[in-house]
Amino acid sequence: MPGTSNATGPRKTSGLLAMIASSFLFALMALIVKLLGRFGPFELVFWRSVIMFPSTLGLMWYRGIYPWGESGQRFFFILRGTAGFFFMGTYYFSIQQLALGDAVVITYTSPVLTAIVAAVLLNEPLELLDLAGSLLCMVGVVLVSQPSFIMTYFGAHPVPMPVAGVAGALCSAMFATSVSILLRYRKDLNPLVSTNYFAIVGIFTSPFFMLAFGEPWVVPDRVSEWFLMIPLALLSVFGQILMNIGLQRESAGKATVMNYIQVVFANLFQITLLHEETDRLKVSGAALIASWGAIALFKDARSKGVDQSKALDSDLLSSSPVGRSSSSFLASKDEPSPSDVVRRGSSTLMAATDSLGGSESSVTHQNSFHAG
């Protein structure tokens, strides 16, 4: 109907724009971490948590949400906060050690790891297409990191990247995966309460890791540093809100593609603002890793086609004389008709999508993902 298309068109456009804006804010946050190079990664997590904590408390107070969650959920909130803390610490470390685009693109292998781990632990389906995408992403990581022990076999002699930085980026991808798996397992965790626990863990845990890794305590004593430190926390909150808006209005497959735009923004910042060099191999590797977005989009379109086909078959069955008589027979046996099954399944699917759209598990599935 014309009215329906007019209503959904602007809504879907605003969803895509929200996800693009979210990716831009997350890339801008990574740029700020790069600019605050005289602060250690765990101190940045500390200041980010200190600023973020009252922000999330204010949002929860405004929405009438109990900040500590239900008693049966608190263990998982603490677990989520701890995993998010380690993700953010290793992510910040990799950004400081590597070129901005390299750190972001290696960390963005998390959706691939999530698909594999979810198949093992949560019995989620893992298709041949997923395995092919995983292989492409692994090749992409090799092209971006360019380890000398592999590249020499192909006659290339690249300048090796810092091993610690690459390890940090891979660890951040693994911790992001752990956050995603946890939130898939417990989809009832409120996203604001989860963020609140992450801030609490960051405030109390960061000083211990600063001591353990010998990070000096640097007090921000310049206006420019506070001008960057405050957006470091707020950009994450607003980026998360925009991402959830996008997920409520678009499919997870399209959200994955839009999230990979963060890789493009990060590389643009790297070249234009930070004047860090890149090469064709790294660009090719980034493209291979970003191909996971295209795979997610294809799977999303295919699943929609299957759902529409099932709905069409059900409508045809229910509208035919045979279908009506069958439905009447089933109804007399107190069993649901095929159209009822489709209708109930659709409502369940919509409810699950709304739940994911309001939780950070959706971010890590497409991450973003973004675990912090």
Coordinates of all heavy atoms in Angstrom, one line a residue, residues 73-166:
Q73 N 20.7 -11.5 38.1 CA 21.4 -11.0 37.0 C 22.8 -10.4 37.3 O 23.6 -10.2 36.4 CB 20.6 -10.0 36.2 CG 19.3 -10.5 35.6 CD 18.5 -9.4 35.0 OE1 18.7 -8.2 35.3 NE2 17.7 -9.7 34.0
R74 N 23.0 -10.1 38.6 CA 24.2 -9.3 39.0 C 25.5 -10.0 38.7 O 26.5 -9.3 38.3 CB 24.1 -8.9 40.4 CG 23.0 -7.9 40.7 CD 22.7 -7.7 42.1 NE 21.5 -6.9 42.3 CZ 20.8 -6.8 43.4 NH1 21.2 -7.4 44.5 NH2 19.7 -6.0 43.4
F75 N 25.6 -11.3 38.8 CA 26.8 -12.0 38.5 C 27.1 -11.8 37.0 O 28.3 -11.6 36.6 CB 26.6 -13.5 38.8 CG 27.8 -14.4 38.2 CD1 29.0 -14.4 38.9 CD2 27.6 -15.1 37.1 CE1 30.0 -15.2 38.4 CE2 28.6 -15.9 36.6 CZ 29.8 -15.9 37.2
F76 N 26.1 -11.9 36.1 CA 26.4 -11.7 34.7 C 26.7 -10.3 34.4 O 27.5 -10.0 33.5 CB 25.1 -12.2 33.9 CG 24.9 -13.7 34.1 CD1 23.9 -14.1 35.0 CD2 25.6 -14.6 33.3 CE1 23.7 -15.5 35.1 CE2 25.4 -15.9 33.4 CZ 24.4 -16.4 34.3
F77 N 26.1 -9.3 35.1 CA 26.5 -7.9 34.9 C 27.9 -7.7 35.2 O 28.7 -7.0 34.5 CB 25.6 -7.0 35.8 CG 24.2 -6.7 35.2 CD1 23.1 -7.0 35.9 CD2 24.1 -6.2 33.9 CE1 21.8 -6.7 35.4 CE2 22.9 -6.0 33.3 CZ 21.7 -6.2 34.1
I78 N 28.4 -8.3 36.3 CA 29.8 -8.1 36.7 C 30.7 -8.8 35.7 O 31.7 -8.2 35.3 CB 30.0 -8.7 38.1 CG1 29.2 -7.9 39.2 CG2 31.5 -8.8 38.5 CD1 29.3 -8.5 40.6
L79 N 30.3 -10.0 35.2 CA 31.1 -10.7 34.2 C 31.1 -9.8 32.9 O 32.2 -9.7 32.3 CB 30.4 -12.0 33.9 CG 31.3 -13.1 33.3 CD1 32.5 -13.4 34.2 CD2 30.4 -14.4 33.0
R80 N 30.0 -9.3 32.5 CA 30.0 -8.4 31.3 C 30.9 -7.2 31.5 O 31.6 -6.8 30.6 CB 28.6 -8.0 31.0 CG 28.4 -7.1 29.8 CD 28.4 -5.7 30.1 NE 28.4 -4.8 28.9 CZ 29.4 -4.4 28.3 NH1 30.7 -4.7 28.7 NH2 29.3 -3.6 27.2
G81 N 30.8 -6.6 32.7 CA 31.6 -5.4 33.0 C 33.1 -5.7 32.9 O 33.9 -4.9 32.4
T82 N 33.5 -6.9 33.5 CA 34.9 -7.3 33.5 C 35.4 -7.5 32.1 O 36.5 -7.1 31.7 CB 35.1 -8.5 34.4 OG1 34.6 -8.3 35.7 CG2 36.5 -8.9 34.4
A83 N 34.6 -8.3 31.3 CA 35.0 -8.5 29.9 C 35.1 -7.2 29.1 O 36.0 -7.0 28.3 CB 34.0 -9.5 29.2
G84 N 34.1 -6.3 29.3 CA 34.2 -5.0 28.6 C 35.4 -4.2 29.0 O 36.0 -3.5 28.2
F85 N 35.8 -4.3 30.3 CA 36.9 -3.6 30.8 C 38.2 -4.1 30.0 O 39.0 -3.3 29.6 CB 37.1 -3.8 32.3 CG 38.5 -3.4 32.8 CD1 38.8 -2.1 33.0 CD2 39.4 -4.4 33.1 CE1 40.1 -1.7 33.5 CE2 40.6 -4.0 33.6 CZ 41.0 -2.7 33.8
F86 N 38.4 -5.4 30.0 CA 39.6 -5.9 29.3 C 39.5 -5.6 27.8 O 40.6 -5.4 27.2 CB 39.7 -7.4 29.5 CG 40.2 -7.8 30.9 CD1 39.4 -8.4 31.8 CD2 41.5 -7.4 31.3 CE1 39.9 -8.7 33.1 CE2 42.0 -7.7 32.5 CZ 41.2 -8.4 33.5
F87 N 38.3 -5.7 27.2 CA 38.2 -5.3 25.8 C 38.7 -3.8 25.6 O 39.5 -3.6 24.7 CB 36.8 -5.4 25.3 CG 36.5 -4.6 24.1 CD1 37.0 -5.0 22.8 CD2 35.8 -3.4 24.1 CE1 36.8 -4.2 21.7 CE2 35.6 -2.6 23.0 CZ 36.1 -3.0 21.8
M88 N 38.2 -2.9 26.4 CA 38.6 -1.5 26.2 C 40.0 -1.3 26.5 O 40.7 -0.5 25.7 CB 37.7 -0.7 27.1 CG 37.6 0.8 26.7 SD 37.1 1.0 25.0 CE 35.4 0.4 25.1
G89 N 40.6 -1.9 27.5 CA 42.0 -1.7 27.8 C 42.9 -2.2 26.7 O 43.9 -1.5 26.3
T90 N 42.6 -3.4 26.2 CA 43.5 -4.0 25.1 C 43.2 -3.2 23.8 O 44.2 -3.0 23.0 CB 43.2 -5.5 24.9 OG1 41.8 -5.7 24.7 CG2 43.7 -6.3 26.1
Y91 N 42.0 -2.7 23.6 CA 41.7 -1.9 22.4 C 42.5 -0.6 22.4 O 43.1 -0.2 21.4 CB 40.2 -1.7 22.3 CG 39.7 -1.0 21.1 CD1 40.2 -1.3 19.8 CD2 38.8 0.1 21.2 CE1 39.7 -0.7 18.7 CE2 38.4 0.7 20.0 CZ 38.8 0.4 18.8 OH 38.4 1.0 17.7
Y92 N 42.4 0.1 23.5 CA 43.2 1.3 23.6 C 44.7 1.1 23.4 O 45.4 1.9 22.8 CB 42.9 2.0 25.0 CG 41.5 2.6 25.1 CD1 41.1 3.2 26.3 CD2 40.6 2.6 24.0 CE1 39.9 3.8 26.4 CE2 39.4 3.2 24.2 CZ 39.0 3.8 25.4 OH 37.8 4.4 25.5
F93 N 45.2 0.0 24.0 CA 46.6 -0.3 23.9 C 47.0 -0.5 22.4 O 48.0 0.0 22.0 CB 46.9 -1.6 24.7 CG 48.3 -2.1 24.6 CD1 49.4 -1.4 25.2 CD2 48.6 -3.1 23.7 CE1 50.7 -1.9 25.1 CE2 49.9 -3.6 23.6 CZ 51.0 -2.9 24.3
S94 N 46.1 -1.3 21.7 CA 46.5 -1.5 20.3 C 46.4 -0.3 19.5 O 47.2 -0.1 18.5 CB 45.5 -2.6 19.7 OG 44.2 -2.1 19.7
I95 N 45.5 0.6 19.8 CA 45.4 1.9 19.1 C 46.7 2.7 19.3 O 47.2 3.4 18.3 CB 44.2 2.7 19.5 CG1 42.9 2.0 19.0 CG2 44.2 4.2 19.0 CD1 41.6 2.7 19.5
Q96 N 47.2 2.7 20.5 CA 48.4 3.5 20.8 C 49.7 2.8 20.2 O 50.7 3.5 19.9 CB 48.6 3.6 22.3 CG 47.6 4.5 22.9 CD 47.8 4.6 24.4 OE1 48.5 3.9 25.1 NE2 47.1 5.7 25.0
Q97 N 49.7 1.5 19.9 CA 50.8 0.8 19.4 C 50.8 0.7 17.9 O 51.9 0.7 17.3 CB 50.9 -0.6 20.0 CG 51.1 -0.7 21.5 CD 52.5 -0.2 21.9 OE1 53.5 -0.6 21.3 NE2 52.6 0.6 22.9
L98 N 49.7 0.7 17.3 CA 49.6 0.5 15.8 C 49.0 1.7 15.2 O 48.6 2.7 15.8 CB 48.6 -0.7 15.5 CG 49.0 -2.0 16.2 CD1 47.9 -3.1 15.9 CD2 50.3 -2.6 15.7
A99 N 49.1 1.7 13.8 CA 48.4 2.7 13.1 C 46.9 2.6 13.4 O 46.4 1.5 13.6 CB 48.6 2.6 11.6
L100 N 46.2 3.7 13.4 CA 44.8 3.7 13.8 C 43.9 2.7 13.0 O 43.2 1.9 13.5 CB 44.2 5.1 13.6 CG 42.7 5.3 14.1 CD1 42.6 5.0 15.5 CD2 42.3 6.7 13.8
G101 N 44.1 2.8 11.6 CA 43.3 1.9 10.8 C 43.6 0.4 11.0 O 42.7 -0.4 11.0
D102 N 44.9 0.1 11.3 CA 45.3 -1.3 11.5 C 44.7 -1.8 12.8 O 44.2 -3.0 12.8 CB 46.8 -1.4 11.6 CG 47.5 -1.0 10.3 OD1 46.7 -1.0 9.2 OD2 48.7 -0.7 10.3
A103 N 44.7 -1.0 13.9 CA 44.1 -1.4 15.1 C 42.6 -1.7 15.0 O 42.1 -2.7 15.5 CB 44.4 -0.4 16.2
V104 N 41.9 -0.8 14.4 CA 40.5 -0.9 14.2 C 40.1 -2.2 13.4 O 39.2 -2.9 13.8 CB 39.9 0.3 13.6 CG1 38.4 0.1 13.3 CG2 40.0 1.5 14.6
V105 N 40.8 -2.4 12.3 CA 40.4 -3.4 11.4 C 40.7 -4.8 12.0 O 40.0 -5.8 11.8 CB 41.1 -3.3 10.0 CG1 42.6 -3.7 10.0 CG2 40.4 -4.0 8.9
I106 N 41.8 -5.0 12.7 CA 42.1 -6.2 13.4 C 41.1 -6.5 14.5 O 40.6 -7.7 14.6 CB 43.6 -6.3 13.9 CG1 44.6 -6.2 12.8 CG2 43.8 -7.5 14.7 CD1 46.0 -6.1 13.2
T107 N 40.7 -5.5 15.2 CA 39.7 -5.7 16.2 C 38.4 -6.1 15.6 O 37.6 -6.8 16.3 CB 39.5 -4.4 17.1 OG1 40.8 -4.0 17.6 CG2 38.5 -4.6 18.2
Y108 N 38.1 -5.7 14.4 CA 36.8 -6.0 13.8 C 36.8 -7.4 13.2 O 35.8 -7.7 12.5 CB 36.6 -5.0 12.6 CG 35.5 -4.0 13.1 CD1 35.9 -3.0 14.0 CD2 34.2 -4.0 12.6 CE1 34.9 -2.1 14.4 CE2 33.3 -3.1 13.0 CZ 33.6 -2.1 13.9 OH 32.7 -1.2 14.4
T109 N 37.7 -8.3 13.6 CA 37.5 -9.7 13.4 C 36.6 -10.3 14.4 O 36.2 -11.5 14.3 CB 38.9 -10.4 13.4 OG1 39.5 -10.2 14.7 CG2 39.8 -9.9 12.3
S110 N 36.1 -9.5 15.4 CA 35.3 -10.1 16.5 C 34.0 -10.7 15.9 O 33.6 -11.8 16.5 CB 34.9 -8.9 17.4 OG 34.0 -9.4 18.4
P111 N 33.3 -10.1 15.0 CA 32.0 -10.8 14.5 C 32.3 -12.2 14.0 O 31.4 -13.1 14.1 CB 31.5 -9.8 13.4 CG 32.0 -8.5 13.8 CD 33.4 -8.8 14.4
V112 N 33.5 -12.4 13.4 CA 33.8 -13.7 12.8 C 34.0 -14.7 14.0 O 33.5 -15.8 14.0 CB 35.1 -13.6 12.0 CG1 35.3 -15.0 11.3 CG2 34.9 -12.6 10.9
L113 N 34.8 -14.3 15.0 CA 35.0 -15.1 16.1 C 33.7 -15.4 16.9 O 33.5 -16.5 17.3 CB 36.0 -14.4 17.1 CG 37.4 -14.1 16.6 CD1 38.2 -13.4 17.6 CD2 38.1 -15.5 16.2
T114 N 32.8 -14.4 16.9 CA 31.5 -14.6 17.6 C 30.7 -15.7 16.9 O 30.1 -16.5 17.6 CB 30.7 -13.3 17.6 OG1 31.5 -12.3 18.3 CG2 29.4 -13.5 18.3
A115 N 30.7 -15.7 15.6 CA 29.9 -16.7 14.8 C 30.5 -18.1 15.1 O 29.7 -19.0 15.3 CB 30.0 -16.4 13.3
I116 N 31.8 -18.2 15.2 CA 32.4 -19.6 15.5 C 32.1 -20.0 16.9 O 31.7 -21.1 17.1 CB 33.9 -19.5 15.2 CG1 34.1 -19.2 13.7 CG2 34.6 -20.8 15.6 CD1 35.6 -19.0 13.3
V117 N 32.4 -19.1 17.9 CA 32.2 -19.5 19.3 C 30.7 -19.7 19.6 O 30.4 -20.6 20.3 CB 32.8 -18.4 20.2 CG1 32.5 -18.7 21.6 CG2 34.3 -18.2 20.0
A118 N 29.8 -18.9 19.0 CA 28.4 -19.2 19.2 C 27.9 -20.5 18.7 O 27.1 -21.1 19.2 CB 27.6 -18.0 18.5
A119 N 28.6 -21.0 17.6 CA 28.2 -22.3 17.1 C 28.7 -23.4 18.0 O 28.0 -24.4 18.2 CB 28.9 -22.5 15.7
V120 N 29.8 -23.2 18.7 CA 30.3 -24.2 19.6 C 29.6 -24.2 20.9 O 29.2 -25.3 21.4 CB 31.8 -24.0 19.8 CG1 32.4 -25.0 20.8 CG2 32.6 -24.2 18.5
L121 N 29.4 -23.0 21.5 CA 28.9 -22.9 22.9 C 27.4 -22.8 22.9 O 26.7 -23.3 23.8 CB 29.5 -21.7 23.6 CG 31.0 -21.8 23.8 CD1 31.5 -20.6 24.6 CD2 31.4 -23.1 24.5
L122 N 26.8 -22.1 21.9 CA 25.3 -21.9 22.0 C 24.6 -22.6 20.9 O 23.4 -22.4 20.8 CB 25.1 -20.3 21.8 CG 25.8 -19.4 22.8 CD1 25.4 -18.0 22.4 CD2 25.4 -19.8 24.2
N123 N 25.3 -23.5 20.2 CA 24.6 -24.4 19.2 C 23.9 -23.5 18.1 O 22.9 -24.0 17.5 CB 23.6 -25.3 19.8 CG 24.3 -26.3 20.7 OD1 25.4 -26.8 20.4 ND2 23.6 -26.6 21.8
E124 N 24.5 -22.3 17.8 CA 23.9 -21.6 16.7 C 24.5 -22.1 15.4 O 25.6 -22.6 15.3 CB 24.3 -20.1 16.9 CG 23.7 -19.4 18.0 CD 23.9 -17.9 18.0 OE1 24.5 -17.4 17.1 OE2 23.5 -17.2 19.0
P125 N 23.7 -22.0 14.3 CA 24.1 -22.6 13.0 C 25.3 -21.9 12.5 O 25.4 -20.7 12.5 CB 22.9 -22.4 12.1 CG 22.1 -21.3 12.7 CD 22.3 -21.4 14.2
L126 N 26.3 -22.7 12.0 CA 27.5 -22.2 11.3 C 27.5 -22.8 9.9 O 27.7 -24.0 9.7 CB 28.7 -22.6 12.1 CG 30.1 -22.1 11.6 CD1 30.1 -20.6 11.7 CD2 31.2 -22.7 12.3
E127 N 27.3 -22.0 8.9 CA 27.2 -22.5 7.5 C 28.6 -22.4 6.9 O 29.5 -21.9 7.4 CB 26.2 -21.6 6.8 CG 24.8 -21.5 7.4 CD 23.9 -20.6 6.7 OE1 24.3 -20.1 5.6 OE2 22.8 -20.3 7.1
L128 N 28.6 -23.1 5.7 CA 29.8 -23.0 4.9 C 30.2 -21.6 4.5 O 31.4 -21.3 4.4 CB 29.6 -23.9 3.6 CG 30.8 -24.1 2.7 CD1 31.9 -24.8 3.4 CD2 30.4 -24.8 1.4
L129 N 29.2 -20.8 4.3 CA 29.5 -19.4 4.0 C 30.2 -18.7 5.2 O 31.1 -17.8 5.0 CB 28.2 -18.6 3.7 CG 28.3 -17.2 3.1 CD1 29.0 -17.3 1.8 CD2 26.9 -16.7 2.9
D130 N 29.8 -19.0 6.4 CA 30.5 -18.5 7.6 C 32.0 -18.9 7.6 O 32.8 -18.1 8.0 CB 29.8 -18.9 8.9 CG 28.4 -18.4 8.9 OD1 28.1 -17.3 8.6 OD2 27.5 -19.2 9.3
L131 N 32.2 -20.2 7.3 CA 33.6 -20.7 7.3 C 34.4 -20.0 6.2 O 35.6 -19.6 6.5 CB 33.6 -22.2 7.1 CG 32.9 -23.0 8.2 CD1 32.9 -24.5 7.8 CD2 33.7 -22.8 9.5
A132 N 33.8 -19.7 5.1 CA 34.5 -19.0 4.0 C 34.8 -17.6 4.4 O 36.0 -17.1 4.2 CB 33.7 -19.0 2.7
G133 N 33.9 -17.0 5.1 CA 34.1 -15.6 5.5 C 35.2 -15.6 6.6 O 36.0 -14.6 6.7
S134 N 35.2 -16.6 7.5 CA 36.3 -16.6 8.5 C 37.6 -16.8 7.9 O 38.6 -16.1 8.3 CB 36.0 -17.8 9.4 OG 34.7 -17.7 10.0
L135 N 37.7 -17.6 6.8 CA 39.0 -17.8 6.1 C 39.5 -16.4 5.5 O 40.6 -16.1 5.6 CB 38.9 -18.8 5.1 CG 40.2 -19.1 4.3 CD1 41.3 -19.6 5.2 CD2 39.9 -20.2 3.2
L136 N 38.5 -15.7 4.9 CA 38.9 -14.4 4.3 C 39.4 -13.5 5.3 O 40.3 -12.7 5.1 CB 37.6 -13.9 3.6 CG 37.2 -14.6 2.3 CD1 35.9 -13.9 1.7 CD2 38.3 -14.5 1.2
C137 N 38.7 -13.5 6.5 CA 39.1 -12.5 7.6 C 40.5 -12.9 8.1 O 41.3 -12.0 8.4 CB 38.1 -12.6 8.7 SG 36.6 -11.7 8.3
M138 N 40.8 -14.2 8.2 CA 42.2 -14.5 8.7 C 43.2 -14.1 7.7 O 44.3 -13.6 8.1 CB 42.2 -16.0 8.9 CG 41.5 -16.5 10.2 SD 41.8 -18.2 10.6 CE 40.9 -19.0 9.3
V139 N 43.0 -14.3 6.4 CA 43.9 -13.8 5.4 C 44.0 -12.3 5.5 O 45.1 -11.7 5.3 CB 43.4 -14.2 4.0 CG1 44.3 -13.6 2.9 CG2 43.4 -15.7 3.8
G140 N 42.9 -11.6 5.7 CA 42.9 -10.1 5.9 C 43.8 -9.7 7.0 O 44.5 -8.7 6.9
V141 N 43.7 -10.4 8.2 CA 44.6 -10.1 9.3 C 46.0 -10.2 9.0 O 46.9 -9.4 9.3 CB 44.2 -10.9 10.5 CG1 45.2 -10.8 11.6 CG2 42.8 -10.6 11.0
V142 N 46.4 -11.3 8.2 CA 47.8 -11.5 7.8 C 48.2 -10.3 6.9 O 49.3 -9.8 7.1 CB 47.9 -12.8 7.1 CG1 49.3 -13.0 6.5 CG2 47.7 -14.0 8.0
L143 N 47.4 -9.9 6.0 CA 47.8 -8.8 5.1 C 47.9 -7.5 5.8 O 48.8 -6.7 5.5 CB 46.7 -8.7 4.0 CG 46.7 -9.8 2.9 CD1 45.6 -9.6 1.9 CD2 48.0 -10.0 2.3
V144 N 47.1 -7.3 6.8 CA 47.2 -6.0 7.6 C 48.4 -6.0 8.5 O 49.2 -5.1 8.6 CB 45.9 -5.8 8.4 CG1 46.1 -4.6 9.3 CG2 44.7 -5.5 7.5
S145 N 48.6 -7.1 9.3 CA 49.7 -7.2 10.2 C 51.0 -7.5 9.6 O 52.1 -7.1 10.1 CB 49.4 -8.3 11.3 OG 49.2 -9.5 10.7
Q146 N 51.0 -8.2 8.4 CA 52.2 -8.5 7.6 C 53.3 -9.1 8.5 O 54.4 -8.5 8.5 CB 52.7 -7.2 6.9 CG 51.7 -6.7 5.9 CD 52.1 -5.4 5.2 OE1 53.3 -5.1 5.3 NE2 51.2 -4.8 4.5
P147 N 53.1 -10.2 9.1 CA 54.2 -10.9 9.9 C 55.3 -11.3 9.0 O 55.0 -11.9 7.9 CB 53.5 -12.1 10.6 CG 52.3 -12.3 9.7 CD 51.8 -11.0 9.2
S148 N 56.5 -11.0 9.3 CA 57.6 -11.3 8.4 C 57.8 -12.8 8.2 O 58.2 -13.2 7.1 CB 58.9 -10.7 9.0 OG 59.1 -11.2 10.3
F149 N 57.5 -13.7 9.2 CA 57.7 -15.1 9.0 C 56.7 -15.7 7.9 O 57.0 -16.8 7.5 CB 57.6 -15.8 10.3 CG 56.2 -15.9 10.9 CD1 55.3 -16.9 10.6 CD2 55.7 -14.9 11.7 CE1 54.0 -17.0 11.1 CE2 54.4 -14.9 12.2 CZ 53.6 -15.9 11.9
I150 N 55.7 -15.0 7.6 CA 54.8 -15.4 6.5 C 55.0 -14.7 5.2 O 55.1 -15.3 4.2 CB 53.3 -15.2 7.0 CG1 52.9 -16.1 8.1 CG2 52.4 -15.5 5.8 CD1 51.5 -16.0 8.6
M151 N 55.2 -13.4 5.3 CA 55.4 -12.5 4.1 C 56.6 -12.9 3.3 O 56.7 -12.7 2.1 CB 55.3 -11.1 4.5 CG 54.0 -10.6 5.2 SD 52.5 -11.1 4.3 CE 52.6 -10.0 2.9
T152 N 57.7 -13.3 4.0 CA 58.9 -13.6 3.3 C 58.8 -14.8 2.3 O 59.5 -14.9 1.3 CB 60.0 -14.0 4.3 OG1 59.5 -15.0 5.2 CG2 60.5 -12.8 5.1
Y153 N 57.8 -15.7 2.6 CA 57.5 -16.8 1.7 C 57.0 -16.3 0.3 O 57.1 -17.0 -0.7 CB 56.5 -17.8 2.3 CG 57.1 -18.6 3.4 CD1 56.8 -18.4 4.7 CD2 58.0 -19.7 3.1 CE1 57.3 -19.2 5.7 CE2 58.5 -20.5 4.1 CZ 58.2 -20.2 5.4 OH 58.7 -21.0 6.4
F154 N 56.5 -15.1 0.3 CA 55.9 -14.5 -0.9 C 56.8 -13.4 -1.5 O 56.5 -12.7 -2.4 CB 54.5 -13.9 -0.6 CG 53.5 -14.9 -0.2 CD1 53.3 -15.1 1.2 CD2 52.8 -15.6 -1.0 CE1 52.4 -16.0 1.7 CE2 51.9 -16.6 -0.6 CZ 51.7 -16.7 0.8
G155 N 58.1 -13.4 -1.0 CA 59.0 -12.5 -1.6 C 58.9 -11.1 -1.1 O 59.6 -10.2 -1.6
A156 N 58.0 -10.8 -0.1 CA 57.8 -9.5 0.4 C 58.7 -9.3 1.7 O 58.9 -10.2 2.4 CB 56.4 -9.2 0.7
H157 N 59.1 -8.0 1.9 CA 59.9 -7.7 3.0 C 59.4 -6.4 3.7 O 60.0 -5.4 3.7 CB 61.4 -7.5 2.6 CG 62.0 -8.7 2.0 ND1 62.4 -9.8 2.7 CD2 62.2 -9.0 0.7 CE1 62.9 -10.7 1.9 NE2 62.8 -10.3 0.7
P158 N 58.2 -6.6 4.3 CA 57.5 -5.4 4.9 C 58.2 -5.0 6.2 O 58.9 -5.8 6.8 CB 56.1 -5.8 5.1 CG 56.2 -7.3 5.3 CD 57.4 -7.8 4.4
V159 N 57.9 -3.8 6.6 CA 58.4 -3.4 7.9 C 57.4 -4.0 9.0 O 56.2 -3.8 8.9 CB 58.3 -1.8 8.1 CG1 58.7 -1.4 9.5 CG2 59.2 -1.2 7.1
P160 N 58.0 -4.9 9.8 CA 57.1 -5.6 10.8 C 56.4 -4.7 11.7 O 56.9 -3.7 12.2 CB 58.1 -6.5 11.5 CG 59.4 -5.9 11.4 CD 59.4 -5.1 10.1
M161 N 55.1 -5.0 12.0 CA 54.3 -4.2 12.9 C 54.7 -4.7 14.4 O 55.2 -5.8 14.6 CB 52.8 -4.5 12.7 CG 52.3 -3.9 11.4 SD 50.6 -4.4 11.0 CE 49.8 -3.5 12.4
P162 N 54.5 -3.8 15.4 CA 54.8 -4.2 16.7 C 53.9 -5.4 17.1 O 52.7 -5.4 17.0 CB 54.4 -3.0 17.5 CG 54.4 -1.8 16.6 CD 54.1 -2.4 15.2
V163 N 54.6 -6.5 17.6 CA 54.0 -7.7 18.0 C 53.0 -7.5 19.1 O 51.9 -8.0 19.1 CB 55.0 -8.8 18.4 CG1 54.3 -10.1 18.8 CG2 55.9 -9.1 17.2
A164 N 53.4 -6.6 20.1 CA 52.5 -6.3 21.2 C 51.2 -5.7 20.8 O 50.1 -6.0 21.3 CB 53.2 -5.5 22.2
G165 N 51.3 -4.8 19.8 CA 50.1 -4.1 19.3 C 49.2 -5.0 18.6 O 48.0 -4.9 18.8
V166 N 49.7 -5.9 17.7 CA 48.9 -6.9 17.1 C 48.2 -7.8 18.1 O 47.0 -8.1 18.0 CB 49.7 -7.7 16.0 CG1 48.8 -8.8 15.4 CG2 50.3 -6.8 14.9

